[in-house]
Amino acid sequence: MGALANHTTLRLGGPAGALLTHTDPTAWPDLAHAIHRESVRPHLLGGGSNILAADAGLAGLVILMATRGITAHLTAGGDVEVTAQAGEPLSALVDYTVAEGLSGIEYLGGIPGTTGAAPIQNSGAYGQQISDVLTQITAYDWQSHTTTRLLPAACAFGYRTSVFKTQPWRWTILTVTLRLRLSAIAAPVAYRHLAEELGVPLGTRPSLAEAAEGVLANRRARGLLLPKTGPDSRQAGSVFLNPPVSAHQAAAIHAAGGPVMRDLHGVQRASAGWLLEQAGYRPGCRLAAGVYCSTHRTLTLTARERATASGFAAALRTLATEVHTATGIRLRPEPVMLGFDSQPVHSSADWA
Ligand SMILES: Cc1cc2nc3c(=O)[nH]c(=O)nc-3n(C[C@H](O)[C@H](O)[C@H](O)COP(=O)(O)OP(=O)(O)OC[C@H]3O[C@@H](n4cnc5c(N)ncnc54)[C@H](O)[C@@H]3O)c2cc1C
């Protein structure tokens, strides 16, 4: 039995009933058939960078998606379609596209994890999200027991969400295809932090390489890169989504000097980090045995010696409850909570 702690960036989580590493794409049909015969639905793991796995672990089968490979072809319209295997690290895919002079995901460097997991929460950063350029997913459908092609309209992408979150058991993503522009110039800089990092006005279009390097430098400075060692090395990134707010709540936040922004889908959202700081939390503060806010940012919680998944989950609940009591705003956890319930909890209705 493999401990889930060995496969998650929080390094928390008990044993899996069975753990299987999937590396050979051609072996998938036989593997899926064998799993179907046993009447089990597997849990999927990519890089484990967005998972809080329970101390008791999981009784079922866990598949580590570790297939690698990138292919590309020129489309009739002059764009390039790039297809990556699910286990290909997203950062390796970003590096590939920047090196090949392809624009579309240059601002997504530094996000840990796999390409196959990126559509799950529609991963994004600095004004880009994977759904902006995604044209097709091949996925195994555990309902119909077929490998199927999903177009973006079927994926119900939104701010850090998709159909894969609302129907977590149904599909295993096998490949992801993106349509990218042949261009050595990046998309316009849309984020103030990045504009400052690059020393250019908002709206500037740097070269792909400058954009990608600027993102990594800015993420490092803001504690958004996963460090290999040190007090912040065990984490799953931001622990809460930026919550949607009503016009009334937005006005109250503005009056208190806080930020309200529109997401790429037009919804007004408060900053979850700012709300935690208004509740009195600061970078580095201790929340429970072995559970701390990261030394860089309040919105990232880290695990240190003596941390447990249940303590981590309890800390999340305390933070969400305090913010809700003070403001009426509900914080929802961003990491998937695995093994805490009969199903993976993507956004619990009774949270806080
Ligand atoms: C330091 C740090 C910074 C981060 N910054 C960002 C950021 O800027 N933007 C952002 O969006 N996210 C960010 N994240 C969160 C995380 O990296 C992303 O959500 C990433 O896409 C998760 O990939 P993963 O392979 O680690 O997925 P995992 O954590 O392994 O899995 C996440 C979910 O996807 C499912 N899943 C995984 N692979 C598959 C598959 N092939 N088919 C079906 N389901 C699958 C899992 O079952 C689980 O439900 C950050 C995390 C960290 C630690």
Side-chain angles (χ1 to χ4, degrees), residues 9 44-51 65 86 110-114 116-118 120-125 160 171-173 219 224-226 235-237 334 336 346:
T9 55
L44 284 312
L45 265 190
S49 65
N50 210 20
I51 297 248
M65 297 299 286
I111 299 179
T114 56
I120 308 293
Q121 74 152 9
N122 190 13
S123 288
R160 300 293 173 270
W171 290 281
T172 293
I173 294 179
R219 290 186 77 103
L224 291 167
L225 280 187
L226 186 61
Q235 54 155 296
E334 181 174 322
V336 178
H346 288 274

Side-chain angles (χ1 to χ4, degrees), residues 162-246:
S162 70
V163 72
F164 308 107
K165 274 203 156 188
T166 48
Q167 298 185 44
W169 289 108
R170 184 152 174 199
W171 290 281
T172 293
I173 294 179
L174 302 174
T175 68
V176 175
T177 300
L178 311 176
R179 182 182 287 246
L180 304 172
R181 260 183 317 110
L182 259 175
S183 166
I185 305 298
V189 175
Y191 267 63
R192 183 178 52 80
H193 287 301
L194 184 58
E196 285 169 7
E197 182 73 50
L198 292 167
V200 297
L202 279 171
T204 303
R205 299 186 62 188
S207 72
L208 287 181
E210 283 165 347
E213 279 164 25
V215 162
L216 292 185
N218 191 248
R219 290 186 77 103
R220 189 169 295 110
R222 296 170 60 212
L224 291 167
L225 280 187
L226 186 61
K228 285 196 169 64
T229 57
D232 298 337
S233 58
R234 294 171 60 189
Q235 54 155 296
S238 302
V239 290
F240 293 114
L241 301 168
N242 287 328
V245 287
S246 65

